[in-house]
């Protein structure tokens, strides 16, 4: 009886191990085929990813293709001179800033990152995001440090002190618009560029 019981236990263990193996195999196949992939979620504050550029709007605004949906992205913490804002003349270094952003990003896909201190969208419905190149370069960093845009400090965001410091350094070096234009302080205490025809 004991020998029969041991044989039965052995066969039960063997069958259990086989069943576990088959279940694991099924799970692997299902996972690899994407059957368990979560459904597409709406764009929200915590959904960074790499996206292709649909088109460039100006120095601080781009449009990306988010899984078939075109979203306008307003870069966080930077304000480049205007190029086609209604009722606003083209500003000094606006075309240069737009051209710089386009050449910097090129054909790259970009990674978008929300800021926990900022809102998800601005009052125009644009997504507010930091924009990163595949090599980790932050586009906002380059725009401010190279003098193609101003640090936009009118609202809270986590990179505020860093961007302010980069702006001060660019100002001292007279980089970009700091050497070519006549930046003025706007009504809110931030910097803005002068009309394009008023240059140094």
């Amino acid at each position: 009886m004991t020998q029969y019981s041991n044989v039965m236990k052995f066969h039960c263990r063997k069958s259990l191990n086989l069943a576990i193996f088959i279940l694991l195999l099924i799970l692997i196949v299902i996972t690899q085929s994407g059957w368990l992939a979560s459904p597409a979620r709406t764009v929200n504050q915590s959904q960074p990813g790499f996206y292709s550029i649909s088109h460039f709007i100006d120095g601080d605004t781009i449009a990306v293709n988010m899984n078939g949906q075109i979203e306008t992205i307003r870069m966080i913490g930077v304000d480049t001179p205007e190029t086609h804002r209604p009722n606003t003349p083209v500003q000094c270094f606006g075309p240069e800033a737009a051209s710089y952003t386009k050449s910097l990003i090129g054909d790259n896909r970009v990674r978008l990152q929300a800021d926990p201190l900022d809102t998800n969208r601005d009052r125009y419905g644009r997504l507010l995001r930091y924009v990163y190149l595949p090599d980790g370069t932050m586009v906002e960093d380059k725009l401010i440090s190279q003098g193609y845009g101003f640090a936009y400090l009118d609202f809270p965001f986590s990179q505020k002190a860093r961007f302010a410091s980069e702006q001060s350094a660019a100002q001292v070096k007279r980089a970009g618009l700091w050497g070519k234009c006549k930046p003025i302080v706007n009504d809110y205490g931030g910097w803005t560029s002068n009309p394009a025809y008023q240059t140094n």
Side-chain angles (χ1 to χ4, degrees), residues 67-130:
N67 307 316
Q69 178 181 347
I70 304 303
E71 284 279 1
T72 301
I73 309 300
R74 176 62 170 84
M75 297 180 199
I76 296 173
V78 64
D79 188 28
T80 60
E82 301 296 341
T83 54
H84 50 259
R85 183 176 180 177
N87 304 315
T88 301
V90 173
Q91 294 179 324
C92 181
F93 237 63
E96 290 86 346
S99 177
Y100 180 75
T101 295
K102 187 173 183 178
S103 65
L104 182 63
I105 295 175
D107 295 328
N108 286 303
R109 292 166 68 87
V110 294
R111 181 171 67 85
L112 306 175
Q113 181 65 59
D115 190 299
L117 302 181
D118 203 356
T119 58
N120 188 42
R121 294 182 185 269
D122 66 9
R123 58 182 175 170
Y124 304 109
R126 301 174 298 187
L127 285 173
L128 297 172
R129 296 291 187 270
Y130 296 112

Side-chain angles (χ1 to χ4, degrees), residues 104 131-139 141-142:
L104 182 63
V131 178
Y132 291 90
L133 301 180
D135 67 1
T137 299
M138 182 195 280
V139 175
D141 262 341
K142 299 290 282 184

Side-chain angles (χ1 to χ4, degrees), residues 3-193:
Q3 186 177 0
Y4 176 77
S5 177
N6 289 338
V7 169
M8 288 301 295
K9 284 180 182 177
F10 172 78
H11 283 295
C12 284
R13 271 198 302 267
K14 194 171 179 182
S15 296
L16 182 60
N17 288 341
L18 183 61
I20 291 171
F21 174 78
I22 291 171
L23 281 173
L24 287 174
L25 192 60
I26 290 171
L27 280 173
I28 289 169
V29 170
I30 289 174
T31 302
Q32 292 298 316
S33 67
W35 293 351
L36 294 181
S38 58
R41 294 175 293 176
T42 57
V43 177
N44 60 42
Q45 189 115 346
S46 58
Q47 191 182 358
F50 279 94
Y51 303 100
S52 61
I53 301 294
S54 168
H55 57 279
F56 294 89
I57 298 172
D58 61 19
D60 56 35
T61 310
I62 59 176
V64 301
N65 185 331
M66 285 188 157
N67 307 316
Q69 178 181 347
I70 304 303
E71 284 279 1
T72 301
I73 309 300
R74 176 62 170 84
M75 297 180 199
I76 296 173
V78 64
D79 188 28
T80 60
E82 301 296 341
T83 54
H84 50 259
R85 183 176 180 177
N87 304 315
T88 301
V90 173
Q91 294 179 324
C92 181
F93 237 63
E96 290 86 346
S99 177
Y100 180 75
T101 295
K102 187 173 183 178
S103 65
L104 182 63
I105 295 175
D107 295 328
N108 286 303
R109 292 166 68 87
V110 294
R111 181 171 67 85
L112 306 175
Q113 181 65 59
D115 190 299
L117 302 181
D118 203 356
T119 58
N120 188 42
R121 294 182 185 269
D122 66 9
R123 58 182 175 170
Y124 304 109
R126 301 174 298 187
L127 285 173
L128 297 172
R129 296 291 187 270
Y130 296 112
V131 178
Y132 291 90
L133 301 180
D135 67 1
T137 299
M138 182 195 280
V139 175
E140 289 92 336
D141 262 341
K142 299 290 282 184
L143 286 167
I144 296 169
S145 64
Q146 300 303 309
Y148 286 96
F150 304 103
Y152 191 27
L153 308 174
D154 293 355
F155 53 90
F157 61 99
S158 60
Q159 300 295 329
K160 194 170 186 176
R162 174 179 162 190
F163 285 6
S165 176
E166 288 176 351
Q167 175 171 269
S168 295
Q171 196 172 1
V172 168
K173 291 186 296 186
R174 294 178 59 79
L177 56 79
W178 296 106
K180 302 290 186 183
C181 306
K182 297 178 180 176
I184 55 176
V185 176
N186 62 27
D187 296 338
Y188 307 101
W191 289 98
T192 189
S193 189

